[in-house]
Amino acid sequence: MQTMAYQQIERTLRNQNFSHAYLFVGNAHQDMRDLATFFAQSLLCSKSDIACGICGSCERVIQGQHPDYQHLNGEEKAISKKEIDELQNYFSKTAVENAKGRRVCFLEHMETASLSAQNSLLKFLEEPSKGVVIILSVPKESSILPTLVSRCIPIYFQSVNQKELLQQALKLGYGQEDAYFLSLISQSEEELKQNHEKEEYAKAILMLKESLEQPQELLVDYHVSLKPKDKDSHLFLLNTYFHFVAQAMRQALMKEEVGPTWLVDYIRKAKDDKEQAMVYALVMEALDRLNKYNDPTLLFEQTIYQWRILKNDNRRRK
C-alpha cells in the first residue's frame, strides 16, 4: 500500500472528520483497491476507529458480504446508470447493521461509467445521504466529469512519471521551486522546457503566491501587469494558475508538506479544512468552465470574488 495515500486516510480516520466522497487517482490499482477496502473496514469496524481486521464487520467487508458496503468494479463491466440509481435508492435507507449509521460504497474504475451514470452519481453527491461515504477510483482526473472531481477529496497515488519529471527538471538545472511547479503541468522533458520559457508560467506562480498571502491585491495586479493581451497566452495563464491553486488546496487538506518554503508555510498554517475543500471545488469548476467560457477575464474575476466571500464568511463564523 502506498505510504502517502495510506497516511492521508489514516489521518482522516483518527480525526473522525469525513467527507462524503473521495477520489483515488492513479494506476496502482491493487494499492487503490487495498486502501479502499481498509477505509471501508475502518468506517464499519465494530471494535475500533481503525480497522481491527478480525471482527465480523471487517471480515465481511473483505468477503463482500457486509450489508452496509457495496463494491462496483467497472473493469469487469462498465458501471451503468441503472446501477447508480439502485445504489442511491439502497443508500437512501438507514444502515442495516452499523451502529453509527455509516454506509460505504467503492466505485472502482469509475472511468468506464457511461456519461448518464456519471451524471446520476453527480446528483447523488450533490445531495448525499447522511453517513454515506463514496470512494471512486480513476487513472486520472480527466477521465471523469470535472464536476464529479470537484465534489470529491482527492487522494493521489503518485505516478512514477511525475517523479521522473521532477528529477528531469532538476537535472536540466532548474531550481527546486521551478522543478516542483513544472512537474505539475508538464508531460514530457520537452514540455518542461517549453513551459519554463513561457512568461505566463512565472506569472501563474506569482498569482498563486499572492492568492495565498494577499488575495485582495490580486485582481488589481492582474489587470495592471499580469493579464496577457492574446487569448492563447491568457488561457494558458489561467489554466496554469487554477491548477496551481487546486494543488495547493489538495496539499493543505492532506497536510502534505511538499513544494517551495512559502507553500509549505501556508500548508502548515492552514487550519480550516472546510475552506480549503470549498476553494478546491471552486477552482475545479473554474477549470471546467475555462475553455467553454467566452470571457475568461470575467470567469477569473468571479472566481476570485467568490474566494474572497468564502474567506470573509469563514472569518465571521470564527
Side-chain angles (χ1 to χ4, degrees), residues 210-219 304 307-308 311:
E210 192 164 351
S211 297
L212 302 181
E213 294 176 354
Q214 295 178 308
Q216 67 277 9
E217 303 294 331
L218 180 56
L219 281 178
I304 299 303
W307 189 349
R308 282 185 185 175
K311 249 183 157 16

Side-chain angles (χ1 to χ4, degrees), residues 275-309:
E275 182 181 324
Q276 320 307 323
M278 292 175 76
V279 173
Y280 173 78
L282 182 66
V283 295
M284 289 303 296
E285 184 177 349
L287 277 168
D288 181 35
R289 297 169 62 195
L290 183 58
N291 293 315
K292 308 171 188 174
Y293 212 69
N294 290 330
D295 190 344
T297 298
L298 182 58
L299 174 63
F300 172 73
E301 290 173 343
Q302 289 172 341
T303 304
I304 299 303
Y305 280 131
Q306 288 173 36
W307 189 349
R308 282 185 185 175
I309 291 169

Side-chain angles (χ1 to χ4, degrees), residues 189-206:
E189 184 175 322
E190 187 60 31
E191 272 197 11
L192 288 171
K193 297 175 183 177
Q194 291 173 354
N195 287 331
H196 186 260
E197 290 173 0
K198 293 178 180 177
E199 182 183 355
E200 292 72 31
Y201 156 73
K203 286 182 178 180
I205 296 175
L206 289 174

